[in-house]
């Protein structure tokens, strides 16, 4: 008898309505209060692994409660080492769905702020796919819809409550720049997904893992940081690229303790700059709008995008080319962050030391 279902006669309970959750955990994520419920302690441990130890970000306004139920199904007979099928999206009747197969899927009811995540036991052997493609699918979608956030594919780092969005094509170097920003003392908000409240331009994210390729190690001078990265598990992305999955909660540097007020955005480019001292160049407002929409096609279709886009362009959108070392780009980010900080200081009658040495 499978204890996962808790029902001996499947004909008496075909929808598994009597196999409800037994345990629960609560997490403050992306400005929301998430309650995860399950009869499976193994699935709740996946939640703990993903979200334990993160700074609880709070956004202006009430923090709504979201409910995520996780259900574990029996192991399937899969070929050894087989990769799970890609998630296919579907919607209708007020529901959002993400489906791998008949035993692994997510169903969301955004209006009710609820989600059901179903996973088979073999997915416990594939924690990367389980965490990112099922659990975080539910969390990110519920937070986006329930809190009216703009979901962006990109990274974000900052200082003293002020942040910069790192955007760009896949492979441009956003994760590498985020890593070196962390090692250089900037606060780390997120590496792959950033969520912005368009009314306030406050950015939040989940700073649990950083994904970088192994050849990044040769550019890391600090021995302790290099050991932290080198000992990290290797994961395989859907693209076929192997990356290190570094747990940010166990590494050096600071995680952003609060949502960051965006100073602007940079499009990270793989193109090298002719002058190492002039990596940044402003993107004209007209061009910036088109680039933002092309780079963030899903976000551009969400409510609140127009307000977000206008405010971001007003704050500044730049192109950031590569220098001789990633540290050169980090210095450029410090310069962007100094402007808003100086403006706030002037309004408060405070004087800062020049650029904290940068």
């Amino acid at each position: 008898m499978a204890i996962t279902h808790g029902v001996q006669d499947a004909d008496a309970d075909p929808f598994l309505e009597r196999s409800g959750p037994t345990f629960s955990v609560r997490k403050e994520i992306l400005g929301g209060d998430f309650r995860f419920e399950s009869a499976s302690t193994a699935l709740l441990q996946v939640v703990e692994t993903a979200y334990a130890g993160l700074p609880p970000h709070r956004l202006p306004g009430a923090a709504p409660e979201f409910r995520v139920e996780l259900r574990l199904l029996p192991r399937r007979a899969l070929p050894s080492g087989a990769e799970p099928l890609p998630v296919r999206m579907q919607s209708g009747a007020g529901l959002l769905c993400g489906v791998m197969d008949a035993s692994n899927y997510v169903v969301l009811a955004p209006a009710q702020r609820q989600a059901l995540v179903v996973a088979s036991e073999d997915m416990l052997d594939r924690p990367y796919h389980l965490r990112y493609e099922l659990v975080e699918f539910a969390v990110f979608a519920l937070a986006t819809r329930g809190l009216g956030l703009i979901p962006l594919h990109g990274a974000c780092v900052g200082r003293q409550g002020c942040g910069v969005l790192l955007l760009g094509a896949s492979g441009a170097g956003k994760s590498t720049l985020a890593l070196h920003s962390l090692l250089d003392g900037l606060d780390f908000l997120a590496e792959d997904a950033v969520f912005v409240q368009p009314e306030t331009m406050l950015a939040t994210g989940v700073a649990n893992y950083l994904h970088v390729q192994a050849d990044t190690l040769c550019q890391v001078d600090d021995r302790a940081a290099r050991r932290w990265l080198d000992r990290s598990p290797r994961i395989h992305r859907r693209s076929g690229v192997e990356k290190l999955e570094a747990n940010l909660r166990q590494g050096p540097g600071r995680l952003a303790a609060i949502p960051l007020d965006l100073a602007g955005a940079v499009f990270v480019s793989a193109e090298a700059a002719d002058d190492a001292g002039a990596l940044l160049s402003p993107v004209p407002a007209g061009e910036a709008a088109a680039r933002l929409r092309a780079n963030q096609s899903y976000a551009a279709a969400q409510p609140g995008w127009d307000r977000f886009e206008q405010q971001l362009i007003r704050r500044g959108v730049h192109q950031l080319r590569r220098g001789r070392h990633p540290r050169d780009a980090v210095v450029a980010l410090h310069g962007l962050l100094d402007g808003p900080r100086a403006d706030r200081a002037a309004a408060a009658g405070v004087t800062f030391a020049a650029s904290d040495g940068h």
Side-chain angles (χ1 to χ4, degrees):
M1 181 178 66
I3 62 171
T4 307
H5 291 194
V7 176
Q8 298 185 43
D9 186 356
D11 292 335
D13 185 26
F15 293 102
L16 306 180
E17 293 172 276
R18 287 181 286 171
S19 58
T22 306
F23 310 103
S24 68
V25 296
R26 299 183 82 108
K27 299 292 178 186
E28 290 185 69
I29 311 169
L30 303 176
D33 180 9
F34 280 81
R35 182 182 182 90
F36 298 89
E37 302 173 332
S38 183
S40 166
T41 56
L43 285 179
L44 289 180
Q45 184 56 53
V46 172
V47 172
E48 283 292 330
T49 300
Y51 302 116
L54 294 174
H57 286 185
R58 297 178 179 87
L59 294 166
E65 180 174 294
F66 300 95
R67 179 173 174 263
V68 180
E69 182 178 340
L70 302 106
R71 181 170 295 171
L72 192 65
L73 297 184
R75 184 177 294 272
R76 299 174 304 151
L78 288 178
S80 177
E83 186 176 77
L85 294 171
V87 174
R88 293 166 294 162
M89 312 297 186
Q90 190 57 267
S91 66
L95 302 176
L96 302 177
C97 303
V99 180
M100 282 183 178
D101 54 45
S103 299
N104 296 280
Y105 54 88
V106 181
V107 181
L108 301 102
Q112 286 73 45
R113 297 173 179 158
Q114 296 188 58
L116 171 66
V117 177
V118 177
S120 55
E121 288 180 322
D122 48 290
M123 286 298 289
L124 296 173
D125 301 328
R126 299 165 174 83
Y128 171 78
H129 294 288
L130 174 56
R131 188 170 63 243
Y132 282 94
E133 298 183 353
L134 295 178
V135 176
E136 287 206 344
F137 177 95
V139 170
F140 288 176
L142 285 179
T144 297
R145 303 300 175 97
L147 291 161
L149 304 179
I150 301 297
L152 301 166
H153 175 57
C156 185
V157 295
R159 186 179 64 206
Q160 296 187 341
C162 188
V164 175
L165 275 175
L166 309 180
L167 307 175
S170 179
K174 298 185 296 295
S175 297
T176 299
L177 178 54
L179 166 64
H180 286 275
S181 297
L182 174 77
L183 299 180
D184 197 58
L186 291 182
D187 297 338
F188 195 105
L189 183 89
E191 175 238 351
D192 192 52
V194 182
F195 300 82
V196 181
Q197 189 178 57
E199 297 80 13
T200 62
M201 293 300 284
L202 290 174
T204 182
V206 177
N208 48 9
Y209 295 96
L210 171 70
H211 299 94
V212 293
Q213 295 190 44
D215 58 9
T216 303
L217 289 171
C218 65
Q219 298 175 315
V220 176
D221 300 327
D222 183 82
R223 290 185 178 180
R226 207 160 52 238
R227 284 197 300 272
W228 164 61
L229 290 168
D230 193 38
R231 293 172 180 172
S232 299
R234 269 67 171 170
I235 59 98
H236 291 270
R237 286 278 176 93
R238 291 285 186 185
S239 62
V241 176
E242 182 182 86
K243 290 200 172 187
L244 304 172
E245 185 176 62
N247 191 332
L248 289 160
R249 294 155 291 182
Q250 299 174 358
R254 295 189 305 267
L255 305 184
I258 58 174
L260 299 181
D261 183 12
L262 290 178
V266 298
F267 280 99
V268 180
S269 171
E271 179 184 349
D274 295 331
D275 181 359
L279 306 187
L280 274 176
S281 58
V283 177
E287 181 184 338
R291 289 190 65 175
L292 286 169
R293 289 172 181 261
N295 185 252
Q296 304 289 332
S297 57
Y298 176 72
Q302 301 303 308
W305 171 266
D306 290 341
R307 182 176 177 83
F308 162 78
E309 179 188 90
Q310 291 165 7
Q311 292 197 79
L312 185 62
I313 292 174
R314 192 178 304 123
R315 295 176 184 219
V317 177
H318 293 76
Q319 171 130 323
L320 179 62
R321 294 179 175 83
R322 290 190 178 183
R324 289 185 293 270
H325 191 279
R327 281 192 303 267
D328 298 335
V330 177
V331 171
L333 295 184
H334 276 283
L336 282 180
L337 291 167
D338 282 339
R341 186 173 63 147
D343 291 342
R344 292 197 303 270
V350 178
T351 302
F352 287 101
S355 301
D356 295 339
H358 295 278

